[in-house]
């Protein structure tokens, strides 16, 4: 008989704990107390060193996060892709981006000709050239609010960047 009684006491304690967490008029579920059902054991030792995240090393030339134990991430930038779909046509002709955020400018040629667009700002000129049926990309610094033309080098259409407005094509 003691065998049945010794099994019923822990089972009754668990049942009471489960039922205590259910019901009520408030419509919310009360958390189940772990004190009545947790087995006696040892308390985990406090960590003295911060955990580290293992993974692959960041690519050469990329910046990694400064704190130990963090995963390196890619720097913030705004992707801008301009596509030459046919001669004298770039899509979208105008792109709006936030101010002071670096830009990843990608130029794609789908019209069978090579294209070069140049952005002049702050005494510097940044040019991106995509070969015929090719693609090229360049990272540009963040720009202050304003309108910046991307001039075609040679012949062909250009585009423009509206900086500081609502983001979109």
């Amino acid at each position: 008989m003691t065998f049945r009684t010794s099994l019923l006491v822990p089972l009754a304690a668990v049942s009471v704990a489960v039922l205590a967490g259910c019901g009520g008029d408030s419509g919310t579920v009360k958390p189940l107390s772990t004190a009545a059902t947790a087995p006696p054991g040892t308390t985990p030792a406090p960590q003295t060193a911060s955990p580290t995240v293992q993974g692959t090393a960041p690519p050469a030339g990329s910046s990694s996060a400064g704190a130990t134990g963090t995963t390196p991430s890619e720097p913030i930038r705004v992707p801008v892709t301009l596509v030459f779909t046919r001669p004298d046509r770039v899509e979208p002709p105008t792109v709006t981006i936030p101010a002071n955020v670096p830009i990843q400018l990608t130029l794609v040629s789908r019209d069978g000709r090579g294209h070069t667009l140049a952005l002049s700002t702050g005494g510097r000129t940044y040019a991106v050239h995509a070969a015929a049926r090719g693609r090229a990309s360049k990272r540009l610094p963040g720009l202050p609010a304003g309108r910046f033309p991307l001039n075609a080098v040679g012949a062909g259409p250009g585009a423009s960047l509206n900086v500081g407005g609502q983001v979109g094509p």
Side-chain angles (χ1 to χ4, degrees):
M1 218 48 181
T2 32
F3 178 70
R4 285 187 183 179
T5 311
S6 64
L7 286 177
L8 290 178
V9 172
L11 183 59
V14 171
S15 298
V16 169
V18 170
L19 292 175
C22 296
D25 293 343
S26 65
T28 60
V29 177
K30 297 177 185 176
L32 180 62
S33 172
T34 58
T37 60
T42 60
T43 307
Q47 283 188 324
T48 56
S50 62
T52 58
V53 177
Q54 294 182 352
T56 59
S62 70
S63 65
S64 62
T68 302
T70 59
T71 304
S73 61
E74 195 169 315
I76 295 174
R77 77 216 179 294
V78 176
V80 174
T81 302
L82 300 170
V83 180
F84 286 88
T85 56
R86 57 185 173 180
D88 298 327
R89 178 90 172 159
V90 62
E91 292 180 12
T94 303
V95 178
T96 302
I97 59 175
N100 304 312
V101 178
I103 305 159
Q104 187 70 41
L105 180 62
T106 301
L107 190 58
V108 179
S109 171
R110 290 192 184 148
D111 66 354
R113 301 185 332 177
H115 295 278
T116 302
L117 291 180
L119 170 72
S120 295
T121 180
R124 294 195 61 182
T125 300
Y126 303 93
V128 179
H129 175 74
R133 303 270 180 222
R135 137 186 309 250
S137 185
K138 185 171 219 163
R139 186 178 169 102
L140 307 177
L143 300 172
R147 186 176 179 98
F148 296 88
L150 291 162
N151 298 313
V153 176
S160 65
L161 294 175
N162 286 334
V163 180
Q166 187 172 1
V167 179

